[in-house]
Amino acid sequence: MKKILVTGATGKQGSATAYELLKNNFEVYALTRNPHSPEALNLEKAGAFLVKGDLEDIEGLREIFKKVDGLYLVLPPVWVSSRETDEKEADAGIQAINLAKEQGVEFVLYSSVLGSDKQELFRPRFKFTIEKYLWESGLQGAVIRPASFMENLLLPSFGLAEGNFINPLSEEKAVPWVATSDIGAFARIIFQNYKEFDGKTVDFGGESLTPKQVLNLLEEKLSQRINFVQVPLEVLYQQSETFAKLVEMIDKEGYDPIDHKFISSWIPKLTGFAQWMDETGIKKIKELGSEGN
């Protein structure tokens, strides 16, 4: 297994996976809507073959699917989710799996989301739909379910550029976090050992932290006071009913325990939150603040 098509190749986890594969002598085909973007050009400089295209136009990808051994399937993020966006994502994932089977792709690694199975109660056609379709397809494959990205803290919705930490969860509700670089490393390991991972679903995340613990770490590492903004559930419902129900699910049930022993048997140590802040977070959060001035 040497030729891998990476969808979402200029996104956070797609690019992390592409660079990991390139560093380990894989031939990487990077799917991007805009091959002239800085992110795409950097991938090309690193040795990736850029593929202009979109999973929504699946027919245009027939030839590239025929060329590769493996597919890293991650769907574009949706920041304001709804029943319609969930349906669209499920359809795109199913079409990609169908084409992979038709064109003889040997192995599909699908990146879902932590707790996808629990979300099926209020998201009947979403990421868990794609997971089930992969298993029913008869293809060799695996599913990775990443936890919350540490890099998501850089999104405007968290408000760090303005000195805020906008939080939708209960203050003391701990959830696991993960650095996208670790997702890329684990994806690479799965492709290197695809026969051992065939049929496996892996919940993937590191240390669990409450919003208050995240806030304390941010204040300590940035050496500044940050305003904690708790978003009421009724406000979340006004913004996105789907997201509000997700927050309710996490608050009431939480996530299933992650098998850290299994993960550490492949990656001895994941990036901790403090480590991510020291290596990446502090610099990028300060850049957010300077951009807003």
Side-chain angles (χ1 to χ4, degrees), residues 38-160:
E39 294 82 4
L41 293 174
N42 285 337
L43 279 170
E44 188 175 41
K45 286 177 187 174
F49 299 96
L50 299 184
V51 179
K52 183 178 181 179
D54 193 321
L55 287 174
E56 293 178 15
D57 180 23
I58 200 72
E59 288 302 310
L61 301 175
R62 189 170 294 277
E63 287 304 310
I64 194 66
F65 269 65
K66 191 173 185 178
K67 185 181 289 188
V68 299
D69 308 312
L71 169 66
Y72 183 71
L73 178 61
V74 58
L75 282 300
V78 176
W79 305 120
V80 182
S81 54
S82 65
R83 179 66 64 93
E84 290 73 27
T85 60
D86 284 359
E87 291 265 352
K88 188 175 180 181
E89 182 166 340
D91 289 341
I94 287 169
Q95 289 172 359
I97 290 168
N98 281 338
L99 186 60
K101 184 174 183 180
E102 177 191 314
Q103 298 297 82
V105 175
E106 192 172 350
F107 187 85
V108 175
L109 174 55
Y110 170 53
S111 179
S112 184
V113 70
L114 199 63
S116 59
D117 49 345
K118 292 186 175 187
Q119 294 185 45
E120 192 177 33
L121 287 173
F122 56 93
R123 306 180 93 167
R125 290 193 82 245
F126 187 48
K127 293 183 186 290
F128 192 56
T129 307
I130 301 172
E131 293 181 32
K132 291 188 291 185
Y133 197 84
L134 175 59
W135 303 137
E136 293 163 3
S137 72
L139 283 165
Q140 290 189 99
V143 173
I144 180 173
R145 293 175 176 169
S148 298
F149 299 171
M150 296 174 190
E151 288 81 359
N152 281 352
L153 288 170
L154 304 173
L155 294 172
S157 56
F158 277 96
L160 288 177

